């Protein structure tokens, strides 16, 4: 059961990282600023992956 929960958390973190990268790319492409929001999302996702895998 624990492995399924780790998998779910890992998938959630990967999804969050994808949204962050998507936000960085589109904020750069369309120059609407707030690139830091994507960076915060990616950083939170990477931190979450470290916490889940520990």
């Amino acid at each position: 059961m624990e492995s399924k929960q780790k998998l779910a958390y890992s998938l959630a973190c990967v999804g969050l990282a994808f949204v962050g990268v998507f936000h960085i790319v589109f904020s750069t492409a369309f120059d609407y600023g707030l690139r830091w929001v994507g960076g915060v999302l990616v950083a939170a996702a990477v931190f979450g992956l470290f916490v889940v895998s520990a």
Side-chain angles (χ1 to χ4, degrees):
M1 188 64 166
E2 186 177 317
S3 64
K4 287 183 182 181
Q5 196 172 25
K6 278 188 175 184
L7 177 64
Y9 287 140
S10 295
L11 288 175
C13 288
V14 168
L16 186 65
F18 177 75
V19 169
V21 169
F22 189 78
H23 189 277
I24 290 172
V25 168
F26 276 84
S27 68
T28 302
F30 296 114
D31 196 32
Y32 64 85
L34 296 176
R35 238 175 269 133
W36 63 272
V37 173
V40 168
L41 288 174
V42 171
V46 170
F47 178 73
L49 284 173
F50 282 133
V51 169
V52 167
S53 66

